[in-house]
Amino acid sequence: MKILSIVITYNFMRWIDQCIPSLLQSEAPTDILVIDNASTDETVTVLQERYPQVRLIANATNLGFGRANNIGMQLALDEGYDGVFLINQDAWIEPNTLAQLIEASKRHPDFGILSPLHLRGDGKQLDAGFAAYTGVKEFGTEKSDQSLHAVPFINAALWYIPIAVIQKVGLFAPLFYHYGEDKDYANRLHYHGFQIGYIPTAIGYHDRAERPFSRQLFFRTEYVYHLSEYANINHTFPQAFAYGVLAPLKKALKSWTKGKWHDGADYIVLSANLLWRTLEVWKTRHLHSTLHLYTFGL
């Protein structure tokens, strides 16, 4: 199996000596491609000096998560790889993790995305996002469970994707700059008849800090959610319009009935911004529902 691990970096120095060595020590051999999004620290220099075996593409500007990964995924398509492993810069894996994902993929070709169990950086608890998406409550009870568990969604911190899936589902949608592109990809995966799953005995670590859930972050999350619903090709376009553009208007009215005038106004702006992107959304939906293998403009 010819596997390409893709790491998108921006100021990678904090995790560089955990992420890269974990891939170099993988029992399943993998080529490593780092695509740097214009880091302002020593990421590029240190990668060149400390890890010369790593293939490096240094972007002049920050392309965001999806577009940067598209460079690597298209390269994997062009160079005859059998699969890609997308791993966040703040993540790393156990030596046998990738081998388990690859073997499970061979046994279960109906699974388009396979992921390990996501632990926090200290390895003592489940990553909060992974726990929320999968419904897994506690780490430890599944240590001997080698089965593949199907779930609706897993965030893209640690994704193994067979190349045949990319050929059918395509690349990430440039409609999403940062956040939401993995949810959109999962929606498209389901549209094409694939499942998403994780293996409890395959372990990965995601060392992300818990951020305070500010009002600004809340509305950013709301925008991404409604944009992903607008682009969701499992909905008809009228349904998608209702979930994407009309639903924020309903939330605005609900906010105003509770005297939350500022929230209501922000939902109106959110809805207007999504309405403004209707042609872009429609073109993206059409492309995803009709084409099998394609390249986005990067």
Side-chain angles (χ1 to χ4, degrees), residues 158-170:
L158 297 150
W159 274 9
Y160 175 74
I161 311 176
I163 209 70
V165 172
I166 299 174
Q167 289 173 331
K168 189 169 185 179
V169 178

Side-chain angles (χ1 to χ4, degrees), residues 45-101:
T45 300
V46 169
L47 279 169
Q48 291 171 332
E49 294 177 353
R50 199 175 297 172
Y51 300 105
Q53 65 273 63
V54 170
R55 189 171 180 178
L56 173 65
I57 296 175
N59 292 328
T61 58
N62 190 336
L63 299 182
F65 180 81
R67 289 192 179 205
N69 263 306
N70 283 353
I71 294 173
M73 293 164 75
Q74 186 63 51
L75 186 148
L77 288 166
D78 294 341
E79 298 187 1
Y81 281 88
D82 298 298
V84 300
F85 182 53
L86 309 185
I87 176 169
N88 275 18
Q89 68 171 8
D90 56 358
W92 58 93
I93 58 173
E94 292 289 337
N96 66 350
T97 293
L98 185 54
Q100 291 189 67
L101 300 180

Side-chain angles (χ1 to χ4, degrees), residues 122-241:
D122 61 10
K124 297 179 180 179
Q125 299 180 62
L126 291 167
D127 172 74
F130 177 85
Y133 295 133
T134 61
V136 179
K137 302 299 183 183
E138 186 178 352
F139 170 56
T141 58
E142 57 293 287
K143 286 183 178 179
S144 61
D145 186 356
Q146 300 181 25
S147 57
L148 180 56
H149 293 253
V151 291
F153 177 71
I154 296 175
N155 52 303
L158 297 150
W159 274 9
Y160 175 74
I161 311 176
I163 209 70
V165 172
I166 299 174
Q167 289 173 331
K168 189 169 185 179
V169 178
L171 309 180
F172 285 111
L175 185 69
F176 301 86
Y177 175 72
H178 193 59
Y179 299 117
E181 55 273 274
D182 54 352
K183 180 61 176 174
D184 175 71
Y185 202 86
N187 289 338
R188 291 155 50 199
L189 200 80
H190 291 307
Y191 177 85
H192 288 287
F194 293 106
Q195 298 188 71
I196 299 170
Y198 74 93
I199 303 173
T201 54
I203 303 298
Y205 303 87
H206 192 188
D207 186 35
R208 54 176 173 175
E210 295 292 332
R211 294 179 296 174
F213 204 65
S214 65
R215 187 176 183 281
Q216 181 180 14
L217 180 58
F218 172 77
F219 275 97
R220 179 181 180 183
T221 302
E222 283 285 86
Y223 177 81
V224 169
Y225 167 73
H226 287 289
L227 178 59
S228 67
E229 285 296 287
Y230 203 6
N232 188 347
I233 55 175
N234 295 289
H235 304 320
T236 65
F237 189 77
Q239 289 173 330
F241 187 83

